[in-house]
Amino acid sequence: MKIVSACLMGCECRYDQKDNKVGEIEQFVKDGKAIPVCPEQLGGLPTPRNPAEIVGGDGFDVLDGTARVIDNQGNDVTEQFLQGARQALRMAQAAGAEEAILKERSPSCGSALVYDGTFSKTKRKGTGVTAALLLRHGISVRSEESLD
Ligand code: SF4
């Protein structure tokens, strides 16, 4: 079993209420091989919502309390991101998931790249908050781009 970012199976759960559907991932869910999760919704954030970026590090730094997640209006949404990560981990563990396929560049779901916290579309190497928590609990994480 695996978990996948819900937006990748077609859920309109992105900050702008759009999806990032990838047919192969939708098929995993239809076949009962994957469970979709959206950490930002699980953390209590609305849809649509303000876009957010990690300021001062990446998801591992957020877990360690040395970076924060801030939206583009300056609101600190770190606690919602942490709560969403914990709920996604709970679902992954309950399902016995050993792997996650998550949306690249998201401050929650990114596995290799995130935005740099300046809201200037600048990317940096790093991991989102949920991806980091899953990795710390032994669940492998890769992006949808690895399916190409
Ligand atoms: S938090 Fe993850 S699942 Fe939810 S919209 Fe963002 S990338 Fe998709």
Side-chain angles (χ1 to χ4, degrees):
M1 184 59 72
K2 47 178 128 292
I3 64 167
V4 295
S5 295
C7 57
L8 293 175
M9 67 142 285
C11 284
E12 295 170 350
C13 52
R14 276 174 37 148
Y15 73 94
D16 55 3
Q17 207 163 13
K18 294 180 179 171
D19 67 77
N20 296 106
K21 187 157 88 175
V22 174
E24 192 173 350
I25 292 192
E26 184 183 32
Q27 196 61 46
F28 285 146
V29 176
K30 285 182 176 175
D31 293 343
K33 296 176 179 169
I35 293 172
V37 300
C38 177
E40 290 171 27
Q41 290 186 333
L42 288 169
L45 291 168
T47 306
R49 55 190 171 274
N50 296 325
E53 297 189 4
I54 300 171
V55 176
D58 76 350
F60 287 106
D61 301 310
V62 174
L63 296 180
D64 292 338
T66 60
R68 310 293 293 176
V69 189
I70 308 292
D71 74 17
N72 68 345
Q73 301 303 306
N75 301 303
D76 189 323
V77 288
T78 305
E79 286 309 315
Q80 290 94 326
F81 273 66
L82 287 169
Q83 174 68 357
R86 288 191 290 266
Q87 297 305 308
L89 174 65
R90 178 178 293 189
M91 293 171 73
Q93 290 176 328
E98 296 177 344
E99 180 188 29
I101 303 176
L102 303 181
K103 177 74 185 74
E104 194 62 281
R105 294 180 294 282
S106 154
S108 292
C109 293
S111 53
L113 290 172
V114 291
Y115 290 104
D116 73 349
T118 62
F119 293 96
S120 60
K121 300 190 188 326
T122 307
K123 288 168 267 192
R124 52 158 284 172
K125 286 184 182 173
T127 305
V129 179
T130 292
L133 189 65
L134 295 175
L135 285 165
R136 281 207 172 154
H137 287 79
I139 297 170
S140 69
V141 177
R142 61 187 175 118
S143 84
E144 82 286 4
E145 295 171 355
S146 71
L147 295 171
D148 296 338

